[in-house]
């Protein structure tokens, strides 16, 4: 296991459609986000084709996380951008085969720096399942602090999970 992996955040390209399709249609991730229906390849292709990569126009930016070998290891999102308040929500997904190698930690550090240096945001926040200890630890390591516990915030079928609102000022 590489203790010091190297990553690169880059814009989504049409060639990323298969990875995007797998991530967006991974039902195990649906309970941690706003997605609860499968996305078609057509819809995702249209998203990639029409995204301006301008956070002011799209109110979001989605980036691919690559390792030193150029393999796609995950995706990083800055969504729910509020320009008036200079804040946005952040999310990271690492593909199963690449988890627990330090990629998420590096991607979150780079994403925070990008949000500060390029997007000039004042704060980032994340909504994390209260039972997801790995994600909570990841965000704490990156300087995020728990600000609120949201009761029954996330739905998984007929059960509900509390979520933590975690925030970092940049």
């Amino acid at each position: 296991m590489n203790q010091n992996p190297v990553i690169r955040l880059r814009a989504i390209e049409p060639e990323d459609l298969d990875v995007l399709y797998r991530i967006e249609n991974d039902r195990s991730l649906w309970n941690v986000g706003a997605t609860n229906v499968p996305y078609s390849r057509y819809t995702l292709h249209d998203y990639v084709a029409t995204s301006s990569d301008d956070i002011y126009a799209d109110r979001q930016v989605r980036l691919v996380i690559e390792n030193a070998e150029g393999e796609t290891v995950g995706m990083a999102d800055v969504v729910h951008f509020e320009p008036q308040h200079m804040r946005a929500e952040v999310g990271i997904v690492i593909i199963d085969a690449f988890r627990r190698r330090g990629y998420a930690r590096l991607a979150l550090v780079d994403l925070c720096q990008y949000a500060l240096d390029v997007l000039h945001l004042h704060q980032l926040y994340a909504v994390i399942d209260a039972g997801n200890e790995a994600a909570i630890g990841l965000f704490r390591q990156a300087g995020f602090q728990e600000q609120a516990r949201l009761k029954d915030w996330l739905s998984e079928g007929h059960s509900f999970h509390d979520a933590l609102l975690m925030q970092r000022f940049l």
Side-chain angles (χ1 to χ4, degrees), residues 35-120:
T35 300
N36 64 356
V37 295
Y39 283 99
S40 70
R41 285 185 189 280
Y42 177 82
T43 299
L44 294 172
H45 179 272
D46 189 51
Y47 166 77
V48 172
T50 60
S51 175
S52 69
D53 292 327
D54 178 354
I55 196 166
Y56 285 93
D58 298 337
R59 295 291 196 249
Q60 66 177 350
V61 66
R62 177 167 257 180
L63 301 165
V64 171
I65 306 166
E66 280 186 342
N67 64 14
E69 292 75 35
E71 299 170 298
T72 297
V73 300
M75 311 276 304
D77 296 329
V78 178
V79 297
H80 302 131
F81 171 59
E82 293 289 339
Q84 177 182 356
H85 305 293
M86 300 309 295
R87 69 174 174 242
E89 183 176 359
V90 63
I92 304 252
V93 173
I94 301 296
I95 297 167
D96 282 342
F98 296 100
R99 288 186 182 160
R100 303 204 186 288
R101 297 186 191 180
Y103 294 125
R105 178 181 51 80
L106 289 173
L108 189 53
V109 167
D110 285 1
L111 199 57
C112 289
Q113 201 62 51
Y114 173 77
L116 176 65
D117 296 342
V118 178
L119 302 178
H120 307 293

Coordinates of all heavy atoms in Angstrom, one line a residue, residues 35-120:
T35 N -29.4 11.4 -5.0 CA -29.8 10.6 -6.1 C -30.5 9.3 -5.5 O -30.1 8.7 -4.6 CB -28.6 10.1 -6.9 OG1 -27.9 11.2 -7.4 CG2 -28.9 9.2 -8.0
N36 N -31.7 9.0 -6.2 CA -32.3 7.8 -5.8 C -33.0 7.1 -7.0 O -33.9 6.3 -6.9 CB -33.4 8.0 -4.7 CG -34.5 9.0 -5.1 OD1 -34.5 9.5 -6.2 ND2 -35.5 9.1 -4.3
V37 N -32.5 7.5 -8.2 CA -32.9 6.9 -9.4 C -31.7 6.7 -10.3 O -30.8 7.4 -10.2 CB -34.0 7.7 -10.2 CG1 -35.3 7.9 -9.4 CG2 -33.4 9.1 -10.5
P38 N -31.7 5.7 -11.1 CA -30.6 5.4 -12.0 C -30.5 6.5 -13.1 O -31.6 7.1 -13.5 CB -30.9 4.1 -12.6 CG -32.3 3.8 -12.4 CD -32.7 4.6 -11.3
Y39 N -29.3 6.8 -13.5 CA -29.1 7.8 -14.6 C -28.8 7.0 -15.9 O -28.0 6.0 -15.9 CB -28.0 8.7 -14.4 CG -28.3 9.8 -13.4 CD1 -27.9 9.7 -12.0 CD2 -28.9 11.0 -13.8 CE1 -28.2 10.7 -11.2 CE2 -29.2 12.0 -12.9 CZ -28.9 11.9 -11.6 OH -29.2 12.9 -10.7
S40 N -29.4 7.4 -17.0 CA -29.1 6.7 -18.3 C -27.7 7.3 -18.8 O -27.3 8.4 -18.4 CB -30.2 7.0 -19.3 OG -30.1 8.4 -19.7
R41 N -27.1 6.5 -19.7 CA -25.9 7.0 -20.3 C -26.2 8.2 -21.1 O -25.3 9.1 -21.2 CB -25.3 5.9 -21.3 CG -24.7 4.8 -20.6 CD -24.0 3.8 -21.6 NE -23.6 2.6 -20.9 CZ -22.5 2.5 -20.2 NH1 -21.6 3.5 -20.1 NH2 -22.1 1.4 -19.6
Y42 N -27.3 8.3 -21.7 CA -27.7 9.5 -22.5 C -27.7 10.7 -21.6 O -27.1 11.8 -22.0 CB -29.0 9.3 -23.2 CG -29.5 10.5 -23.9 CD1 -29.0 10.8 -25.2 CD2 -30.3 11.5 -23.4 CE1 -29.4 11.9 -25.9 CE2 -30.7 12.6 -24.0 CZ -30.2 12.9 -25.3 OH -30.6 14.0 -26.0
T43 N -28.3 10.7 -20.5 CA -28.4 11.8 -19.6 C -27.0 12.2 -19.1 O -26.7 13.4 -19.1 CB -29.3 11.4 -18.3 OG1 -30.6 11.1 -18.8 CG2 -29.4 12.6 -17.3
L44 N -26.2 11.2 -18.7 CA -24.9 11.6 -18.3 C -24.0 12.1 -19.4 O -23.2 13.0 -19.2 CB -24.2 10.3 -17.7 CG -24.9 9.9 -16.4 CD1 -24.3 8.6 -15.9 CD2 -24.8 10.9 -15.3
H45 N -24.2 11.6 -20.6 CA -23.4 12.1 -21.8 C -23.8 13.5 -22.0 O -23.0 14.4 -22.3 CB -23.7 11.2 -23.0 CG -23.1 11.7 -24.3 ND1 -23.6 12.7 -25.1 CD2 -21.9 11.4 -24.8 CE1 -22.8 12.9 -26.1 NE2 -21.7 12.2 -25.9
D46 N -25.1 13.8 -21.9 CA -25.6 15.2 -22.1 C -25.1 16.1 -21.0 O -24.7 17.2 -21.3 CB -27.2 15.2 -22.1 CG -27.7 16.5 -22.5 OD1 -27.4 17.0 -23.5 OD2 -28.6 17.0 -21.7
Y47 N -25.0 15.6 -19.8 CA -24.4 16.4 -18.7 C -22.9 16.8 -19.0 O -22.5 17.9 -18.9 CB -24.4 15.7 -17.4 CG -23.6 16.3 -16.3 CD1 -24.0 17.5 -15.7 CD2 -22.3 15.8 -16.0 CE1 -23.1 18.1 -14.7 CE2 -21.5 16.4 -15.1 CZ -21.9 17.5 -14.4 OH -21.1 18.1 -13.5
V48 N -22.1 15.8 -19.4 CA -20.7 16.0 -19.8 C -20.6 17.0 -20.9 O -19.8 17.9 -20.9 CB -20.0 14.7 -20.0 CG1 -18.6 14.9 -20.6 CG2 -20.0 13.8 -18.8
A49 N -21.5 16.8 -21.9 CA -21.4 17.6 -23.2 C -21.8 19.0 -22.9 O -21.3 20.0 -23.5 CB -22.2 17.0 -24.3
T50 N -22.8 19.3 -22.0 CA -23.3 20.6 -21.9 C -22.7 21.4 -20.6 O -23.0 22.6 -20.5 CB -24.8 20.6 -21.8 OG1 -25.2 19.8 -20.6 CG2 -25.4 20.0 -23.0
S51 N -22.0 20.7 -19.8 CA -21.4 21.3 -18.6 C -20.4 22.4 -19.1 O -19.6 22.1 -19.9 CB -20.7 20.3 -17.7 OG -20.1 21.0 -16.7
S52 N -20.6 23.6 -18.5 CA -19.7 24.7 -18.9 C -18.3 24.7 -18.1 O -17.4 25.4 -18.5 CB -20.4 26.0 -18.7 OG -20.5 26.3 -17.4
D53 N -18.3 23.8 -17.1 CA -17.1 23.9 -16.2 C -16.9 25.2 -15.6 O -15.8 25.6 -15.2 CB -15.8 23.4 -16.9 CG -15.9 21.9 -17.2 OD1 -16.5 21.1 -16.5 OD2 -15.3 21.6 -18.3
D54 N -18.0 26.0 -15.5 CA -18.0 27.3 -14.8 C -19.0 27.2 -13.6 O -20.2 27.1 -13.8 CB -18.5 28.3 -15.8 CG -18.6 29.7 -15.2 OD1 -18.4 29.9 -14.0 OD2 -18.9 30.7 -16.0
I55 N -18.4 27.3 -12.4 CA -19.2 27.1 -11.2 C -20.3 28.2 -11.1 O -21.4 28.0 -10.6 CB -18.3 27.1 -10.0 CG1 -19.1 26.5 -8.8 CG2 -17.7 28.4 -9.7 CD1 -18.3 26.1 -7.6
Y56 N -20.1 29.4 -11.7 CA -21.1 30.4 -11.6 C -22.3 30.1 -12.5 O -23.4 30.4 -12.2 CB -20.5 31.8 -12.0 CG -19.6 32.3 -10.9 CD1 -18.3 32.1 -10.8 CD2 -20.2 33.0 -9.8 CE1 -17.5 32.5 -9.8 CE2 -19.4 33.5 -8.8 CZ -18.1 33.3 -8.7 OH -17.3 33.7 -7.7
A57 N -22.0 29.5 -13.7 CA -23.1 29.1 -14.6 C -23.8 27.8 -14.1 O -25.0 27.7 -14.2 CB -22.5 28.9 -16.0
D58 N -23.0 26.8 -13.7 CA -23.6 25.5 -13.4 C -23.9 25.3 -12.0 O -24.6 24.4 -11.6 CB -22.6 24.4 -13.8 CG -22.2 24.4 -15.3 OD1 -23.1 24.9 -16.1 OD2 -21.2 23.9 -15.6
R59 N -23.4 26.2 -11.1 CA -23.6 26.1 -9.6 C -23.0 24.8 -9.1 O -23.2 24.4 -7.9 CB -25.1 26.2 -9.2 CG -25.7 27.5 -9.5 CD -25.1 28.6 -8.6 NE -26.0 29.7 -8.6 CZ -25.6 30.9 -9.1 NH1 -24.5 31.0 -9.7 NH2 -26.4 31.9 -9.0
Q60 N -22.1 24.2 -9.8 CA -21.4 23.0 -9.4 C -20.2 22.8 -10.3 O -20.1 23.3 -11.4 CB -22.3 21.8 -9.4 CG -22.7 21.4 -10.8 CD -23.5 20.1 -10.8 OE1 -23.6 19.4 -9.8 NE2 -24.1 19.8 -11.9
V61 N -19.2 22.1 -9.8 CA -18.1 21.6 -10.6 C -17.8 20.2 -10.2 O -17.8 19.9 -9.0 CB -16.9 22.5 -10.5 CG1 -16.3 22.5 -9.2 CG2 -15.9 22.2 -11.6
R62 N -17.6 19.3 -11.1 CA -17.3 17.9 -10.9 C -16.0 17.6 -11.5 O -15.7 17.9 -12.6 CB -18.4 17.1 -11.5 CG -18.2 15.6 -11.3 CD -19.4 14.9 -11.7 NE -20.0 14.5 -10.5 CZ -21.2 13.8 -10.4 NH1 -21.8 13.5 -11.4 NH2 -21.6 13.4 -9.2
L63 N -15.1 17.0 -10.6 CA -13.8 16.7 -11.1 C -13.5 15.2 -10.9 O -14.0 14.5 -10.0 CB -12.8 17.5 -10.2 CG -13.0 19.0 -10.2 CD1 -12.2 19.7 -9.0 CD2 -12.5 19.6 -11.5
V64 N -12.6 14.8 -11.8 CA -12.1 13.4 -11.8 C -10.9 13.3 -10.9 O -10.0 14.2 -11.0 CB -11.9 12.9 -13.2 CG1 -11.2 11.5 -13.2 CG2 -13.2 12.8 -14.0
I65 N -10.8 12.3 -10.1 CA -9.6 12.1 -9.3 C -8.7 11.0 -10.0 O -9.2 9.9 -10.2 CB -9.9 11.6 -7.9 CG1 -10.8 12.6 -7.2 CG2 -8.6 11.5 -7.1 CD1 -11.5 12.1 -5.9
E66 N -7.5 11.3 -10.4 CA -6.6 10.4 -11.1 C -5.4 10.1 -10.2 O -5.0 11.0 -9.5 CB -6.1 11.0 -12.4 CG -7.0 10.9 -13.5 CD -6.3 11.3 -14.8 OE1 -5.3 12.0 -14.8 OE2 -6.9 11.0 -15.9
N67 N -4.9 8.9 -10.2 CA -3.7 8.6 -9.5 C -2.5 8.8 -10.4 O -2.6 9.3 -11.6 CB -3.7 7.1 -9.0 CG -3.7 6.1 -10.1 OD1 -3.5 6.3 -11.2 ND2 -4.0 4.9 -9.6
A68 N -1.3 8.6 -9.9 CA 0.0 8.8 -10.7 C 0.0 8.1 -12.0 O 0.7 8.5 -12.9 CB 1.2 8.5 -9.8
E69 N -0.6 6.9 -12.0 CA -0.6 6.1 -13.2 C -1.7 6.5 -14.3 O -1.9 5.9 -15.3 CB -0.9 4.6 -12.9 CG 0.3 4.0 -12.1 CD 0.3 4.4 -10.7 OE1 -0.7 4.6 -10.0 OE2 1.5 4.5 -10.2
G70 N -2.5 7.6 -13.9 CA -3.5 8.1 -14.8 C -4.8 7.3 -14.7 O -5.7 7.6 -15.6
E71 N -4.9 6.5 -13.7 CA -6.2 5.7 -13.6 C -7.2 6.6 -12.8 O -6.8 7.3 -11.9 CB -5.9 4.5 -12.7 CG -5.0 3.5 -13.3 CD -4.6 2.4 -12.3 OE1 -4.1 2.7 -11.3 OE2 -5.0 1.2 -12.6
T72 N -8.4 6.5 -13.2 CA -9.5 7.2 -12.5 C -9.8 6.5 -11.2 O -10.1 5.3 -11.3 CB -10.7 7.4 -13.4 OG1 -10.4 8.1 -14.5 CG2 -11.9 8.0 -12.6
V73 N -9.6 7.1 -10.1 CA -9.8 6.5 -8.8 C -11.1 7.0 -8.1 O -11.5 6.4 -7.1 CB -8.6 6.6 -7.9 CG1 -7.4 6.0 -8.5 CG2 -8.3 8.0 -7.5
G74 N -11.7 8.1 -8.6 CA -12.9 8.6 -8.0 C -13.3 9.9 -8.6 O -12.8 10.3 -9.7
M75 N -14.3 10.5 -7.9 CA -14.8 11.8 -8.4 C -14.9 12.7 -7.1 O -15.1 12.3 -6.0 CB -16.2 11.7 -8.9 CG -16.4 10.6 -10.0 SD -16.0 11.0 -11.6 CE -16.9 12.3 -12.1
A76 N -14.7 14.0 -7.4 CA -14.9 15.0 -6.3 C -15.8 16.1 -6.9 O -15.7 16.5 -8.0 CB -13.5 15.7 -6.0
D77 N -16.8 16.4 -6.0 CA -17.8 17.4 -6.4 C -17.8 18.6 -5.5 O -17.6 18.5 -4.3 CB -19.2 16.8 -6.3 CG -19.4 15.6 -7.2 OD1 -18.9 15.6 -8.3 OD2 -20.2 14.7 -6.8
V78 N -18.0 19.8 -6.1 CA -18.4 21.0 -5.4 C -19.7 21.4 -5.9 O -19.9 21.7 -7.1 CB -17.3 22.1 -5.7 CG1 -17.7 23.4 -4.9 CG2 -15.9 21.7 -5.2
V79 N -20.7 21.3 -5.1 CA -22.1 21.5 -5.5 C -22.8 22.5 -4.6 O -22.3 22.9 -3.6 CB -22.9 20.1 -5.5 CG1 -22.3 19.2 -6.6 CG2 -22.9 19.5 -4.2
H80 N -24.0 22.8 -4.9 CA -24.8 23.8 -4.2 C -24.1 25.1 -3.9 O -24.1 25.6 -2.8 CB -25.3 23.1 -2.8 CG -26.1 21.9 -3.1 ND1 -25.9 20.7 -2.4 CD2 -27.2 21.6 -3.9 CE1 -26.7 19.8 -2.8 NE2 -27.5 20.3 -3.7
F81 N -23.4 25.5 -4.9 CA -22.6 26.7 -4.8 C -23.5 27.9 -4.6 O -24.5 28.1 -5.3 CB -21.8 26.9 -6.1 CG -21.1 28.2 -6.2 CD1 -20.2 28.7 -5.3 CD2 -21.3 29.0 -7.3 CE1 -19.5 29.9 -5.4 CE2 -20.7 30.3 -7.4 CZ -19.8 30.7 -6.5
E82 N -23.2 28.7 -3.6 CA -23.9 29.9 -3.2 C -23.0 31.1 -3.4 O -22.2 31.4 -2.4 CB -24.5 29.8 -1.8 CG -25.6 28.8 -1.6 CD -26.9 29.2 -2.3 OE1 -27.1 30.4 -2.6 OE2 -27.7 28.2 -2.6
P83 N -23.0 31.8 -4.5 CA -22.0 32.8 -4.7 C -22.2 34.0 -3.8 O -21.2 34.6 -3.3 CB -22.2 33.3 -6.2 CG -23.5 32.7 -6.6 CD -23.8 31.6 -5.7
Q84 N -23.4 34.3 -3.4 CA -23.6 35.4 -2.5 C -23.0 35.2 -1.1 O -22.4 36.1 -0.5 CB -25.1 35.7 -2.2 CG -25.4 36.8 -1.3 CD -26.9 37.0 -1.0 OE1 -27.7 36.3 -1.6 NE2 -27.2 37.9 -0.1
H85 N -23.0 33.9 -0.7 CA -22.5 33.6 0.6 C -21.1 32.9 0.6 O -20.5 32.6 1.6 CB -23.4 32.7 1.4 CG -24.8 33.3 1.5 ND1 -25.1 34.4 2.2 CD2 -26.0 32.9 0.9 CE1 -26.4 34.7 2.1 NE2 -26.9 33.8 1.3
M86 N -20.6 32.7 -0.7 CA -19.3 32.1 -0.9 C -19.1 30.8 -0.2 O -18.1 30.6 0.5 CB -18.2 33.1 -0.6 CG -18.2 34.4 -1.4 SD -18.4 34.2 -3.2 CE -16.8 33.4 -3.6
R87 N -20.0 29.9 -0.4 CA -20.0 28.6 0.2 C -20.5 27.5 -0.8 O -21.2 27.9 -1.7 CB -20.7 28.5 1.5 CG -22.2 28.6 1.3 CD -23.0 28.3 2.6 NE -24.4 28.5 2.4 CZ -25.1 29.5 3.0 NH1 -24.5 30.3 3.9 NH2 -26.4 29.6 2.7
A88 N -20.1 26.3 -0.5 CA -20.5 25.2 -1.4 C -20.4 23.9 -0.6 O -19.6 23.8 0.4 CB -19.7 25.1 -2.7
E89 N -21.1 22.9 -1.0 CA -21.1 21.6 -0.5 C -20.0 20.8 -1.2 O -19.8 21.0 -2.4 CB -22.4 20.9 -0.6 CG -22.4 19.5 0.1 CD -23.8 18.8 0.0 OE1 -24.8 19.5 -0.5 OE2 -23.9 17.7 0.5
V90 N -19.3 19.9 -0.5 CA -18.3 19.1 -1.2 C -18.6 17.6 -0.9 O -19.1 17.3 0.1 CB -16.9 19.5 -0.6 CG1 -16.7 19.2 0.8 CG2 -15.8 18.8 -1.4
G91 N -18.2 16.8 -1.9 CA -18.3 15.4 -1.8 C -17.2 14.7 -2.5 O -16.7 15.2 -3.5
I92 N -16.9 13.5 -2.0 CA -15.8 12.7 -2.6 C -16.3 11.3 -2.7 O -16.9 10.7 -1.7 CB -14.5 12.7 -1.7 CG1 -14.1 14.1 -1.5 CG2 -13.5 11.8 -2.3 CD1 -12.8 14.6 -2.2
V93 N -16.1 10.6 -3.8 CA -16.4 9.2 -4.0 C -15.1 8.5 -4.6 O -14.6 9.0 -5.6 CB -17.6 8.9 -5.0 CG1 -17.7 7.5 -5.2 CG2 -18.8 9.5 -4.4
I94 N -14.7 7.5 -3.9 CA -13.5 6.7 -4.4 C -14.1 5.4 -4.8 O -14.8 4.7 -4.1 CB -12.4 6.6 -3.3 CG1 -11.9 7.9 -2.8 CG2 -11.3 5.7 -3.8 CD1 -11.2 8.8 -3.9
I95 N -13.7 4.9 -6.0 CA -14.1 3.6 -6.5 C -13.6 2.5 -5.5 O -12.4 2.6 -5.0 CB -13.5 3.4 -7.9 CG1 -14.1 4.5 -8.9 CG2 -13.8 2.0 -8.4 CD1 -13.4 4.6 -10.2
D96 N -14.4 1.5 -5.3 CA -14.1 0.5 -4.3 C -12.7 -0.1 -4.4 O -12.0 -0.2 -3.4 CB -15.1 -0.7 -4.5 CG -16.4 -0.4 -3.8 OD1 -16.5 0.5 -3.0 OD2 -17.4 -1.1 -4.2
A97 N -12.2 -0.4 -5.6 CA -10.9 -1.0 -5.8 C -9.7 -0.1 -5.3 O -8.6 -0.5 -5.1 CB -10.7 -1.4 -7.3
F98 N -10.0 1.2 -5.2 CA -8.9 2.2 -4.8 C -9.1 2.8 -3.4 O -8.3 3.6 -3.0 CB -8.9 3.3 -5.8 CG -8.5 2.9 -7.2 CD1 -9.5 2.7 -8.2 CD2 -7.2 2.6 -7.6 CE1 -9.2 2.2 -9.5 CE2 -6.9 2.2 -8.8 CZ -7.9 2.0 -9.8
R99 N -10.1 2.3 -2.7 CA -10.3 2.8 -1.3 C -9.2 2.4 -0.4 O -8.5 1.4 -0.6 CB -11.6 2.3 -0.8 CG -12.8 3.0 -1.5 CD -14.1 2.7 -0.9 NE -15.2 3.4 -1.7 CZ -16.4 3.0 -1.7 NH1 -16.8 2.0 -0.9 NH2 -17.3 3.7 -2.4
R100 N -9.0 3.2 0.7 CA -8.1 3.0 1.8 C -6.6 3.0 1.3 O -5.8 2.3 1.8 CB -8.4 1.7 2.5 CG -9.8 1.6 3.0 CD -9.9 0.6 4.2 NE -11.2 0.5 4.7 CZ -12.0 1.3 5.3 NH1 -11.5 2.5 5.6 NH2 -13.2 1.1 5.7
R101 N -6.4 3.9 0.4 CA -5.0 4.1 -0.1 C -4.6 5.6 0.0 O -3.5 5.9 -0.4 CB -4.9 3.7 -1.6 CG -5.2 2.3 -1.9 CD -4.9 1.9 -3.3 NE -5.4 0.6 -3.6 CZ -5.3 0.1 -4.8 NH1 -4.7 0.8 -5.8 NH2 -5.8 -1.1 -5.1
G102 N -5.4 6.4 0.6 CA -5.1 7.8 0.8 C -5.5 8.7 -0.3 O -5.3 9.9 -0.2
Y103 N -6.2 8.2 -1.3 CA -6.6 9.1 -2.4 C -7.7 10.1 -1.9 O -7.6 11.3 -2.4 CB -7.2 8.2 -3.5 CG -6.2 7.4 -4.2 CD1 -6.4 6.0 -4.4 CD2 -5.0 7.9 -4.8 CE1 -5.4 5.2 -5.0 CE2 -4.1 7.1 -5.4 CZ -4.3 5.8 -5.5 OH -3.4 5.0 -6.2
A104 N -8.6 9.7 -1.1 CA -9.7 10.6 -0.7 C -9.1 11.7 0.1 O -9.5 12.9 0.0 CB -10.7 9.8 0.1
R105 N -8.2 11.4 1.0 CA -7.5 12.5 1.8 C -6.8 13.5 1.0 O -7.0 14.7 1.1 CB -6.5 11.8 2.8 CG -5.8 12.8 3.7 CD -4.8 12.1 4.6 NE -3.9 11.2 3.9 CZ -2.8 11.5 3.2 NH1 -2.4 12.8 3.1 NH2 -2.0 10.6 2.7
L106 N -6.1 13.0 0.0 CA -5.4 14.0 -0.9 C -6.3 14.8 -1.7 O -6.1 16.0 -2.0 CB -4.4 13.2 -1.8 CG -3.1 12.7 -1.1 CD1 -2.3 11.8 -2.0 CD2 -2.3 13.8 -0.5
A107 N -7.4 14.1 -2.2 CA -8.4 14.8 -3.1 C -9.1 15.9 -2.3 O -9.3 17.0 -2.8 CB -9.4 13.8 -3.6
L108 N -9.4 15.6 -1.0 CA -10.1 16.6 -0.2 C -9.2 17.8 0.1 O -9.6 18.9 0.1 CB -10.6 15.9 1.1 CG -11.5 16.8 2.0 CD1 -12.7 17.4 1.2 CD2 -12.0 16.0 3.1
V109 N -7.9 17.5 0.4 CA -6.9 18.6 0.6 C -6.8 19.4 -0.6 O -6.9 20.7 -0.6 CB -5.6 18.0 1.0 CG1 -4.5 19.1 1.0 CG2 -5.6 17.4 2.4
D110 N -6.7 18.8 -1.8 CA -6.6 19.6 -3.1 C -7.8 20.3 -3.4 O -7.8 21.5 -3.8 CB -6.2 18.6 -4.2 CG -4.8 18.2 -4.2 OD1 -4.0 18.5 -3.3 OD2 -4.4 17.4 -5.1
L111 N -9.0 19.7 -3.1 CA -10.3 20.4 -3.3 C -10.4 21.6 -2.4 O -10.9 22.6 -2.9 CB -11.4 19.4 -3.1 CG -12.7 19.7 -3.7 CD1 -12.6 19.8 -5.2 CD2 -13.7 18.6 -3.4
C112 N -10.0 21.5 -1.2 CA -10.1 22.7 -0.3 C -9.2 23.8 -0.8 O -9.6 25.0 -0.8 CB -9.7 22.3 1.1 SG -11.0 21.3 2.0
Q113 N -8.0 23.4 -1.3 CA -7.1 24.4 -1.8 C -7.6 25.1 -3.1 O -7.5 26.3 -3.2 CB -5.7 23.8 -2.0 CG -4.6 24.8 -2.1 CD -4.4 25.5 -0.8 OE1 -4.3 24.9 0.3 NE2 -4.4 26.9 -0.8
Y114 N -8.2 24.3 -3.9 CA -8.9 24.8 -5.1 C -10.0 25.7 -4.8 O -10.2 26.8 -5.4 CB -9.4 23.6 -5.9 CG -10.2 23.9 -7.1 CD1 -9.7 24.3 -8.3 CD2 -11.6 23.7 -7.1 CE1 -10.4 24.6 -9.4 CE2 -12.4 24.0 -8.2 CZ -11.8 24.5 -9.4 OH -12.6 24.8 -10.5
A115 N -10.8 25.3 -3.8 CA -11.9 26.2 -3.4 C -11.5 27.5 -2.9 O -12.1 28.5 -3.1 CB -12.8 25.5 -2.3
L116 N -10.3 27.5 -2.2 CA -9.8 28.8 -1.7 C -9.1 29.6 -2.8 O -9.4 30.8 -3.0 CB -8.8 28.5 -0.5 CG -8.1 29.7 0.1 CD1 -9.0 30.6 0.8 CD2 -7.0 29.2 1.0
D117 N -8.2 29.0 -3.5 CA -7.3 29.7 -4.4 C -8.0 30.1 -5.7 O -7.7 31.1 -6.3 CB -6.1 28.9 -4.8 CG -5.2 28.7 -3.6 OD1 -5.3 29.4 -2.6 OD2 -4.3 27.8 -3.6
V118 N -8.9 29.2 -6.2 CA -9.5 29.4 -7.5 C -10.9 29.9 -7.4 O -11.3 30.9 -8.1 CB -9.4 28.1 -8.4 CG1 -10.1 28.3 -9.7 CG2 -7.9 27.6 -8.5
L119 N -11.7 29.3 -6.6 CA -13.1 29.6 -6.5 C -13.3 30.8 -5.5 O -14.4 31.4 -5.4 CB -13.9 28.4 -6.1 CG -13.8 27.2 -7.0 CD1 -14.7 26.1 -6.4 CD2 -14.3 27.6 -8.4
H120 N -12.3 31.0 -4.6 CA -12.4 32.1 -3.6 C -13.5 31.9 -2.7 O -14.2 32.9 -2.3 CB -12.4 33.5 -4.3 CG -11.3 33.7 -5.3 ND1 -9.9 33.7 -4.9 CD2 -11.3 33.7 -6.6 CE1 -9.2 33.9 -6.0 NE2 -10.0 33.9 -7.0

